[in-house]
Amino acid sequence: MDKRRILVLGGTAEARELAGRLALRADLDVTLSLAGRTADPAPQPVPVRTGGFGGADGLAAFLQGNRIDLLIDATHPFARQISANAERAAEATGTPLIRLERAGWRPTEGDRWTRVATLSDAVVALGSTPLRVFLAIGRQEAFHFDAAPQHHYLVRSVDPVEPPLTAPSVDYLLARGPFAVEDEIALLRDRRIDVIVSKNSGGEATYGKIAAARALGLPVVMVDRGNSGRVTTAETVEEALRLIDHVAPGARKRGV
């Protein structure tokens, strides 16, 4: 059987679930690509490639060299560079592309959101008055907040922030979700948090802080997503599975 070759750009729970579901199909040859930024990644259900590709051109070369029939971008909703590279590489090589991106959160009654486009905008939105700020944005972009050193920051991430922030008052908390609402309420109270900065990542694993902020009446500076709108997109694993046979119905002819 000439199996269809699928490359999944991963790093999310959805990517892992999708890879596991695809691994059950005898007609598919699936590889999961991880950036390698997490020190202790969860076990994966299919062969894993770790590390970057060298930009869009490097990814395009990999798609061609490995005769990939379908590229699935299941990276984090804010992994904007790799998603842009995936679009460019898919277009350059004629490889069908599906984006698996969970739906974003939507404000409900009681939420006090200030919506911003970028983390730099989030820094400005905090204002000049010193606050106790919970940065729940991961480690790679926490440096933006060095621009507002008057605040005290609590930075939560899976791996340590390297290098540490230069702001004078910063605490670090290493933890991996999911986070229960009750635990998040306790954390916000214990650390006397005034405001939360969050990316609109969507999903249930980290929604606890948003529900906790609502329960405590705390404001949230919410960084919205950017979306090109040009890629076939699924919001759930089930939807992605349905799309696969429509977007890439058969294997490419391999040649000799």
Side-chain angles (χ1 to χ4, degrees), residues 140-153:
Q140 292 184 344
E141 295 181 287
F143 69 88
H144 285 281
F145 293 85
D146 282 331
Q150 70 272 25
H151 304 301
H152 171 83
Y153 296 105

Side-chain angles (χ1 to χ4, degrees), residues 119-206:
L119 282 166
S120 295
D121 294 335
V123 174
V124 174
L126 290 177
S128 59
T129 302
L131 298 170
R132 296 183 65 83
V133 182
F134 181 28
L135 291 185
I137 58 171
R139 67 188 177 97
Q140 292 184 344
E141 295 181 287
F143 69 88
H144 285 281
F145 293 85
D146 282 331
Q150 70 272 25
H151 304 301
H152 171 83
Y153 296 105
L154 172 63
V155 185
R156 182 167 69 190
S157 58
V158 175
D159 295 314
V161 177
E162 295 291 348
L165 299 188
T166 61
S169 183
V170 185
D171 291 329
Y172 298 96
L173 177 62
L174 297 182
R176 187 193 299 268
F179 303 104
V181 176
E182 296 77 10
D183 294 337
E184 297 289 68
I185 289 175
L187 175 67
L188 296 175
R189 281 177 169 162
D190 291 346
R191 299 300 185 112
R192 297 180 289 116
I193 297 299
D194 297 309
V195 59
I196 297 171
V197 178
S198 174
K199 296 177 179 179
N200 194 341
S201 302
E204 298 179 1
T206 61

Side-chain angles (χ1 to χ4, degrees), residues 10-241:
T12 60
E14 290 85 0
R16 184 176 185 278
E17 180 184 351
L18 177 64
R21 297 283 294 276
L22 295 176
L24 300 175
R25 291 182 49 169
D27 62 325
L28 303 178
D29 182 355
V30 182
T31 299
L32 180 64
S33 174
L34 300 177
R37 292 175 180 147
T38 300
D40 185 23
Q44 304 295 337
V46 297
V48 172
R49 178 198 179 278
T50 303
F53 291 93
D57 292 342
L59 178 54
F62 183 91
L63 296 177
Q64 288 185 318
N66 291 272
R67 298 172 180 173
I68 299 298
D69 298 297
L70 174 64
L71 176 62
I72 301 177
D73 176 11
T75 57
H76 190 275
F78 282 86
R80 291 167 176 158
Q81 187 59 60
I82 185 60
S83 292
N85 289 345
E87 283 193 50
R88 288 174 53 199
E91 183 176 357
T93 59
T95 304
L97 171 63
I98 294 173
R99 169 77 175 151
L100 171 56
E101 181 175 280
R102 57 183 177 259
W105 301 316
R106 297 189 178 188
T108 62
E109 185 176 355
D111 283 327
R112 298 173 56 198
W113 290 10
T114 298
R115 305 183 80 152
V116 297
T118 68
L119 282 166
S120 295
D121 294 335
V123 174
V124 174
L126 290 177
S128 59
T129 302
L131 298 170
R132 296 183 65 83
V133 182
F134 181 28
L135 291 185
I137 58 171
R139 67 188 177 97
Q140 292 184 344
E141 295 181 287
F143 69 88
H144 285 281
F145 293 85
D146 282 331
Q150 70 272 25
H151 304 301
H152 171 83
Y153 296 105
L154 172 63
V155 185
R156 182 167 69 190
S157 58
V158 175
D159 295 314
V161 177
E162 295 291 348
L165 299 188
T166 61
S169 183
V170 185
D171 291 329
Y172 298 96
L173 177 62
L174 297 182
R176 187 193 299 268
F179 303 104
V181 176
E182 296 77 10
D183 294 337
E184 297 289 68
I185 289 175
L187 175 67
L188 296 175
R189 281 177 169 162
D190 291 346
R191 299 300 185 112
R192 297 180 289 116
I193 297 299
D194 297 309
V195 59
I196 297 171
V197 178
S198 174
K199 296 177 179 179
N200 194 341
S201 302
E204 298 179 1
T206 61
Y207 185 70
K209 63 179 177 287
I210 306 303
R214 184 189 311 125
L216 296 174
L218 293 179
V220 176
V221 178
M222 184 67 75
V223 183
D224 285 325
R225 304 175 183 181
N227 192 339
S228 71
R230 298 185 299 169
V231 176
T232 300
T233 300
E235 291 188 346
T236 66
V237 170
E238 292 296 338
E239 188 179 350
L241 290 168

